Amino acid sequence: MESSSAIDRLSALAQPGRLAVFRLLVRADPEGIPAGEIAAALGLAPNTLSSQLAILVQAGLLSSAREGRVIRYAVRPDALSELIVYLMEDCCGGRPEICQPVQEAAARAACCPPSRTRACRPLSA
Amino acid sequence: MESSSAIDRLSALAQPGRLAVFRLLVRADPEGIPAGEIAAALGLAPNTLSSQLAILVQAGLLSSAREGRVIRYAVRPDALSELIVYLMEDCCGGRPEICQPVQEAAARAACCPPSRTRACRPLSA
DNA sequence: CCTGTATTTCGACAATCGTTGAAATATGGA
DNA sequence: TCCATATTTCAACGATTGTCGAAATACAGG
């Protein structure tokens, strides 16, 4: 993941309305929600929401698909993990005190251990 | 982690200079780097850097400690993992397709499996 | 106490951001 | 075709942000 793209994604999420939209859509993954329902759920004006959605799509965090008269928005499943991996990129390879809590939280949250715990190897390998 | 604090941290990282500072300090964890050296390493004006550092500290991402004439900045190790856990919060508990890649990346990056893979339980438990 | 170094604070400025109202576009149905 | 609904686009605005120069503060050493 490029640095510019990380900035775009962080900045897209760094706004109350957009973060609320993103979290709503994460909860609605993978079906997604039409724009109008998002606006109703969060109490946002349709045109305001539209620009926020455009920013999230531009950042690669959401996908959109027209379905008849509505446009349904959904999270791009890889987007968040790409961003997180980018943020973790520098702290590892011999310095696990930052990443290990994340790993454990991810294990706890994902609610299933990884298919197979892989051998210890540095990031550069 | 509160939503406002997540916004503060995302917004603190969503700026090229500050993201560069943070990543530099992650690499320098846990010793940290004096403000002047950060400015030199990244080519930033001292007063500009000072305001960026203040924003990162205010967001809880960095700590600062005076050492004689210099002020040394270092990452707060929990800050990033708290933010990441917050971002993952909604997607789990039955919906692991987003968190599992993060979990695997964290395992790869932390370069050591967790001390003990814990039993599968939902986030709400 | 005085000087030099390190860092922050202040005030100003251009640039960017988020919201709003009005108008435009796209779609489905009568 | 005409109409109603859903969503976007546009222009404008106040608010916030990032950077700069200059001045202020904090500290160590002589």
Side-chain angles (χ1 to χ4, degrees):
Chain A
M1 187 174 179
E2 274 184 30
S3 165
S4 65
S5 153
I7 294 282
D8 289 344
R9 291 187 186 178
L10 288 167
S11 144
L13 294 175
Q15 202 272 337
R18 290 193 297 264
L19 184 57
V21 168
F22 185 75
R23 287 166 66 84
L24 180 65
L25 288 175
V26 167
R27 260 174 271 141
D29 181 72
E31 305 85 18
I33 307 181
E37 285 183 36
I38 300 175
L42 300 178
L44 298 173
N47 53 356
T48 299
L49 175 67
S50 183
S51 18
Q52 317 274 38
L53 287 171
I55 290 171
L56 288 162
V57 169
Q58 165 68 30
L61 289 165
L62 301 185
S63 62
S64 69
R66 181 175 280 277
E67 285 181 9
R69 239 181 305 202
V70 309
I71 300 184
R72 180 177 297 267
Y73 286 85
V75 294
R76 294 204 330 140
D78 289 350
L80 186 54
S81 43
E82 280 176 22
L83 177 59
I84 292 173
V85 170
Y86 173 82
L87 289 175
M88 294 191 303
E89 192 169 274
D90 290 320
C91 63
C92 309
R95 195 154 291 292
E97 78 255 24
I98 295 176
C99 289
Q100 186 145 346
V102 175
Q103 178 189 6
E104 291 175 8
R108 201 164 51 244
C111 189
C112 300
S115 45
R116 177 145 298 281
T117 306
R118 65 193 73 205
C120 177
R121 60 186 167 93
L123 197 89
S124 54
Chain B
M1 187 174 180
E2 274 184 31
S3 166
S4 65
S5 153
I7 295 282
D8 288 344
R9 292 187 186 177
L10 288 166
S11 145
L13 294 175
Q15 202 272 338
R18 289 194 297 263
L19 184 58
V21 168
F22 185 76
R23 288 166 65 84
L24 180 65
L25 287 175
V26 167
R27 259 175 272 140
D29 182 72
E31 305 85 17
I33 307 181
E37 284 183 37
I38 300 175
L42 301 177
L44 299 173
N47 54 354
T48 299
L49 175 68
S50 183
S51 18
Q52 316 275 37
L53 287 172
I55 291 171
L56 288 163
V57 169
Q58 165 68 30
L61 290 164
L62 300 185
S63 62
S64 70
R66 182 175 280 275
E67 286 182 7
R69 238 180 308 200
V70 309
I71 300 184
R72 179 177 298 267
Y73 286 86
V75 294
R76 293 206 330 141
D78 290 350
L80 186 55
S81 42
E82 281 176 22
L83 177 59
I84 291 173
V85 170
Y86 173 83
L87 289 175
M88 293 191 303
E89 194 167 272
D90 289 320
C91 62
C92 308
R95 195 153 291 291
E97 79 255 25
I98 295 177
C99 290
Q100 187 145 347
V102 174
Q103 179 188 5
E104 290 174 9
R108 201 163 54 244
C111 189
C112 299
S115 45
R116 176 148 297 282
T117 306
R118 67 194 72 205
C120 177
R121 60 185 165 93
L123 197 89
S124 53

